[in-house]
Amino acid sequence: IVIFMLTADSCNQGLMTLGADDYSSVPFVYTDLVQRAKALLRRTRLQNKRALTETIKIGEATIDTAKASGQCPRGEIAFTQREARVLQYLYEQRGKTVEAHELLNKIWGYPRYLNTEIRAVEIHIASLIHKIEADAENPQYIQQVGEGACRIVF
């Protein structure tokens, strides 16, 4: 989430400590505001691309999300790019229940208001469970919670 604050306050020293990523004071020059917003979005995209280079460990499996591959006691694991992105997102949200519509929004890029079928998410989660879990029938780390929701636990 990117936070850009537009403020009438001439004393902007505390805005960054309140969680703002950038700010601009009123009155402002329109082109300056647009350039600041574009730069903030560009930085955010770069950070998101860097985040996909993380090596994560789930149980006995070690996964390199950038290479979409991993290792587990059964051998090498190959992931699709989308599976790697789903896994990365779930890992970042570990311990929290993630709804299928949230994954459709964050990974697939579908707008929240779009009433989209969640079956694609369920298929990807099932595939990840079969690839990572030692016992896919009784998953220990990737848990499906209700219909269309899941979480990673440790």
Side-chain angles (χ1 to χ4, degrees):
I1 297 175
V2 178
I3 301 173
F4 186 92
M5 296 185 83
L6 194 56
T7 178
D9 189 5
S10 61
C11 183
N12 297 316
Q13 296 164 341
L15 291 177
M16 300 305 254
T17 59
L18 291 174
D21 295 304
D22 203 353
Y23 66 90
S24 188
S25 297
V26 175
F28 58 89
V29 178
Y30 177 77
T31 55
D32 180 49
L33 180 67
V34 170
Q35 293 306 315
R36 282 176 170 270
K38 284 182 179 179
L40 184 57
L41 290 171
R42 198 170 37 251
R43 285 193 306 267
T44 303
R45 284 189 201 116
L46 286 174
Q47 288 171 350
N48 288 344
K49 285 183 181 176
R50 275 190 233 118
L52 199 58
T53 62
E54 187 175 352
T55 299
I56 58 178
K57 186 153 178 60
I58 300 174
E60 295 183 35
T62 304
I63 298 113
D64 183 339
T65 54
K67 294 180 182 174
S69 65
Q71 285 285 73
C72 73
R74 294 186 312 261
E76 181 125 355
I77 312 169
F79 299 98
T80 65
Q81 284 298 319
R82 183 154 291 154
E83 285 174 338
R85 289 176 57 212
V86 167
L87 193 56
Q88 177 77 30
Y89 187 78
L90 290 174
Y91 184 78
E92 290 167 358
Q93 306 298 317
R94 60 190 168 271
K96 297 178 187 174
T97 299
V98 178
E99 298 290 330
H101 289 289
E102 181 178 346
L103 287 170
L104 285 170
N105 178 257
K106 299 291 184 180
I107 306 302
W108 276 259
Y110 295 150
R112 288 195 179 277
Y113 62 83
L114 193 61
N115 190 11
T116 309
E117 180 63 39
I118 61 171
R119 187 70 184 132
V121 174
E122 292 171 343
I123 291 168
H124 279 78
I125 297 302
S127 176
L128 289 171
I129 289 171
H130 284 287
K131 290 179 179 184
I132 294 171
E133 296 283 354
D135 180 6
E137 296 299 318
N138 299 302
Q140 188 176 2
Y141 304 106
I142 302 175
Q143 299 176 343
Q144 291 182 301
V145 183
E147 187 176 318
C150 59
R151 68 175 166 230
I152 288 184
V153 294
F154 296 96

